[in-house]
Amino acid sequence: MTEEDITDICAKLETGWPETICYEVGDDEGRYVNLFLTTLNRSETWDRIRSQLIESKLPGGELRDAMIVTITGQDGWDDCLLLHHFDRAQPLDVLEQKTG
């Protein structure tokens, strides 16, 4: 999968999801693509990311092995959660489901 493939996926997500989405491409000792989502329903968005980007047959495998998914909280990065990491040895946080 190329950087162009990734940016194509990001561009399609911008028009196909109800969340506000943008992405940036850069180089920090290696090329990267950051996808930023703003959502009111963190659980639903995380479920959608898992099903459409991580667990899907295409492009899931290659993305799963190259991506990190974090979610910031009320205090930004001070209370962020690590939901997925390409290094499976990394401990992951669990996004608690809202009830009621």
Side-chain angles (χ1 to χ4, degrees), residues 36-75:
F36 299 98
L37 292 95
T38 302
T39 184
L40 295 175
N41 189 329
R42 296 168 10 145
S43 297
E44 184 177 297
T45 299
W46 173 226
D47 288 344
R48 190 176 297 119
I49 289 169
R50 271 197 316 251
S51 67
Q52 294 183 20
L53 296 178
I54 296 173
E55 296 170 354
S56 69
K57 291 185 190 221
L58 200 102
E62 289 184 75
L63 286 178
R64 180 178 44 254
D65 294 339
M67 70 190 293
I68 297 171
V69 179
T70 61
I71 188 166
T72 57
Q74 300 250 345
D75 296 323

Side-chain angles (χ1 to χ4, degrees), residues 2-95:
T2 67
E3 182 178 316
E4 185 176 332
D5 294 332
I6 301 294
T7 56
D8 285 348
I9 289 168
C10 291
K12 288 176 186 169
L13 291 175
E14 282 185 306
T15 60
W17 282 21
E19 291 81 0
T20 302
I21 298 176
C22 64
Y23 67 94
E24 68 179 14
V25 177
D27 194 324
D28 184 10
E29 298 181 29
R31 300 292 295 161
Y32 67 85
V33 178
N34 284 334
L35 179 65
F36 299 98
L37 292 95
T38 302
T39 184
L40 295 175
N41 189 329
R42 296 168 10 145
S43 297
E44 184 177 297
T45 299
W46 173 226
D47 288 344
R48 190 176 297 119
I49 289 169
R50 271 197 316 251
S51 67
Q52 294 183 20
L53 296 178
I54 296 173
E55 296 170 354
S56 69
K57 291 185 190 221
L58 200 102
E62 289 184 75
L63 286 178
R64 180 178 44 254
D65 294 339
M67 70 190 293
I68 297 171
V69 179
T70 61
I71 188 166
T72 57
Q74 300 250 345
D75 296 323
W77 290 110
D78 290 335
D79 63 348
C80 74
L81 301 176
L82 178 61
L83 301 177
H84 174 82
H85 198 288
F86 61 85
D87 178 355
R88 288 181 174 77
Q90 291 293 318
L92 301 177
D93 298 304
V94 175
L95 181 61

